[in-house]
Structures are given as structure tokens and as C-alpha cells.
Amino acid sequence: MHGSNRTTMVAQFILVGFSSLGELQLLLFVVFLFLYLTILLANATIMAVIRCSRTLHTPMYGFLFILSFSESCYTFVIIPQLLAHLLSATKSISFAACATQLFFFLGFACTNCFLIAVMGYDRYVAICHPMRYTLIMNKRLGLGLVSLSGVTGFFIALVATNLICDMPFCGPNRVNHYFCDMAPVIKLACTDTHVKELVLFSLSILVIMVPFLLILISYSFIVNTILKIPSAEGKRKAFATCASHLTVVFVHYGCASIIYLRPRSKSASDKDQLVAVTYTVVTPLLNPLVYSLRNQEVKTALKRVLGMPVAIKVV
């Protein structure tokens, strides 16, 4: 994992994120532990409801199931180590462990970006081509899109991790972050990093902007189709099916853009850590909450799974 460069000397890094907070770290431990358990419970609930309810056995909820699983794995890569470091005086991580964390963090993050775009395409087909939805979004295409998202995401993660780990690290080893992310680690390299940073920036554009633009294109067609629906009730239902997805889209891609799509900076990354908390903790929690609280089908299915009475509309 040290790469092919023989000048690599650093055997471990020190993750100094939140170290300056002193005794407040114990409070942060309690907060992050609560949020982490909530994330796991919320995503597990979403997956269980989708698995147990036949009414949710559709491509849309199949993609949501995979996203919930991926989000759970994504947080598992970051938060347990963060919790351990909040209680520990030594916040070291080996070079190999740092590289492994970086790879899986990027892999699941990229996969999530592509999965959210796939969900946008699913909404486009469902609203713009409802009569052909089951024909177009068949099981084969759904599995293919999910597989493509995962393979592409982890391939990009492998390329990015190799680019970073091949750099020589022969000086400072204090990472100004609470986990091994690209920018804080690259700052410690004792070589010119401009070319590799340009490549990594290009990969960030591919992962963030391309799916986001595809989602915008999908929703331009969706809005155009919804506006042609004659009844106000029909328009309301159509917009309601997209509201949850759009909320996740803007939070997810917005936070990622703030960190990864901006000019290179040598300044401290204290503000970056606050934004990072959003996309490593808040966003994985937001996804299941948004889809459960704003989605009537999921709420109804959850009530049925829990044995609660379900109101039936009389037409």
C-alpha cells in the first residue's frame, strides 16, 4: 500500500480533527454515537420495509434499498474510527489503514453519486413514459445500472487511491481532518502534486457534475410532463413522488461540490470538517428520514409491517 515510490517514509498519520476541542470530544462522542446508531436503524428499517412489503417491490424502491445499504457501509468506513479516536489520546492510523479507508470511502461515495442519478432516470421513465415503465425498467436493466454504478465507483476510487498513495510522504504526518480524505492527505506529500491534483479534480467532475447534470436533464423532462397533466391532484402526486429524491440530490451533490469542486487551497480545513460532517453523517441520516417521512407509500408499508392501522381512502 506504500506505492512504488521508494522515498515514502511515513508509516502512520495522526488524525487531528476535533483534537482542539478538548473535553468537548466526550460530548461529540455521545452525539456521533447517537447519530450513527440512528443511521443504522433508519437504513435497516427502510431495507426491511422494502423487503417485506410486496407493494414496494418496484425498481424505484429496489434502488432505494441498494442506496440504504451503500450508505450504511459508507458510514461504517468513517464513524466507528471517529468514535474510537474521540475517546483516545492517540489518534494515529497506519499508512495502509489510511489508504484502505480512503479507498472504501471514495468507493461508496462515488457509488452513491451514481445510484442517485440512476434513481433520477427511474423517475424520468416512470413519469414521462408510464405506459412503458415496466418494459423499460425491467429487472435486467435495474441490475445492470446498479452493477455499473458500483463497478465504476470503485474503479474510480482505486485510481484515485493509487494516485495519492504513490506520492512520497517523508515529512509532516498530521492530517487536519477526522478521517483520511483526499485533500488533507495530499497536503502532506513532499513533492509537487499539481498534475495529480488536476487528475483528481477531473475525476471529481466526472463523479459529481456528470450525474448531477443528467439528473437536471431528467427533471427538465419530468417538469415539462407534469405541467401537461390536466388535474391539480395529478400534478400534486407527480411532484410528491419526486420531492424526496430532489431533497437528497441537492444536499448530497451540494456538500460534495463544496469540498471537491473548488480551487486548491493551502488554508486550514476546519470549515471543511464541518461540511464533511454533513456528507458523512447528516446525509446518510437524511436519506432514510426523507424517504420515510415524505413518501406516503413507504409510510403506509411501514405501518403495515408494524401492524398499525392504515387509513383507506374511499373514492
Side-chain angles (χ1 to χ4, degrees), residues 242-258:
C242 299
S244 301
H245 182 251
L246 277 176
T247 302
V248 172
V249 165
F250 286 111
V251 173
H252 185 93
Y253 291 103
C255 293
S257 298
I258 292 174

Side-chain angles (χ1 to χ4, degrees), residues 6-304:
R6 294 180 179 274
T7 60
T8 301
M9 296 172 59
V10 172
Q12 66 177 14
F13 292 112
I14 307 297
L15 300 173
V16 299
F18 301 131
S19 296
S20 61
L21 297 180
E23 295 181 357
L24 286 177
Q25 291 181 80
L26 181 58
L27 175 61
L28 279 180
F29 172 83
V30 175
V31 172
F32 281 126
L33 178 61
F34 172 76
L35 291 175
Y36 182 51
L37 294 177
T38 305
I39 289 170
L40 295 181
L41 178 62
N43 280 296
T45 300
I46 288 289
M47 290 188 286
V49 170
I50 293 173
R51 180 70 180 85
C52 297
S53 178
R54 289 187 174 274
T55 60
L56 301 183
H57 290 182
T58 63
M60 172 184 173
Y61 294 107
F63 296 139
L64 178 57
F65 182 98
I66 299 298
L67 180 64
S68 295
F69 175 77
S70 181
E71 291 280 21
S72 299
C73 296
Y74 171 79
T75 55
F76 178 75
V77 174
I78 304 297
I79 302 182
Q81 179 200 262
L82 168 61
L83 293 173
H85 281 184
L86 286 173
L87 295 180
S88 173
T90 59
K91 305 179 188 299
S92 62
I93 181 172
S94 69
F95 188 94
C98 183
T100 302
Q101 183 183 58
L102 179 62
F103 169 70
F104 282 104
F105 165 71
L106 293 176
F108 285 115
C110 293
T111 297
N112 292 344
C113 283
F114 296 135
L115 282 175
I116 293 173
V118 168
M119 294 173 74
Y121 174 70
D122 174 79
R123 291 300 80 208
Y124 159 73
V125 177
I127 294 176
C128 298
H129 304 284
M131 303 303 292
R132 301 174 56 201
Y133 177 71
T134 54
L135 181 63
I136 297 174
M137 291 302 299
N138 53 57
K139 187 175 182 179
R140 181 178 179 181
L141 179 61
L143 290 174
L145 291 173
V146 169
S147 299
L148 182 62
S149 298
V151 171
T152 305
F154 276 91
F155 176 74
I156 292 174
L158 180 62
V159 172
T161 304
N162 281 336
L163 283 172
I164 294 171
C165 293
D166 197 49
M167 297 178 186
F169 295 93
C170 49
N173 67 338
R174 297 173 64 83
V175 179
N176 192 20
H177 214 322
Y178 60 86
F179 70 97
C180 290
D181 201 359
M182 291 193 295
V185 174
I186 290 174
K187 286 182 180 180
L188 302 180
C190 51
T191 186
D192 181 60
T193 61
H194 285 85
V195 174
K196 290 189 175 183
E197 284 189 276
L198 181 60
V199 175
L200 293 171
F201 182 74
S202 300
L203 290 176
S204 298
I205 292 177
L206 173 63
V207 171
I208 298 172
M209 290 308 300
V210 172
F212 183 68
L213 289 175
L214 290 175
I215 291 172
L216 290 182
I217 293 172
S218 296
Y219 272 98
S220 66
F221 286 107
I222 289 173
V223 171
N224 184 57
T225 299
I226 291 176
L227 292 177
K228 293 178 181 178
I229 298 176
S231 68
E233 180 66 14
K235 290 179 180 178
R236 187 193 66 78
K237 287 183 178 180
F239 276 120
T241 61
C242 299
S244 301
H245 182 251
L246 277 176
T247 302
V248 172
V249 165
F250 286 111
V251 173
H252 185 93
Y253 291 103
C255 293
S257 298
I258 292 174
I259 296 295
Y260 300 106
L261 298 181
R262 65 178 185 184
R264 181 172 179 267
S265 174
K266 288 288 187 181
S267 60
S269 57
D270 293 337
K271 293 181 180 179
D272 291 356
Q273 293 180 46
L274 296 178
V275 179
V277 168
T278 302
Y279 68 75
T280 58
V281 180
V282 178
T283 301
L285 177 62
L286 177 69
N287 289 348
L289 292 181
V290 165
Y291 278 105
S292 60
L293 296 177
R294 295 183 61 91
N295 190 297
Q296 188 59 46
E297 287 182 307
V298 174
K299 286 193 290 186
T300 301
L302 178 58
K303 288 180 180 179
R304 285 174 176 162

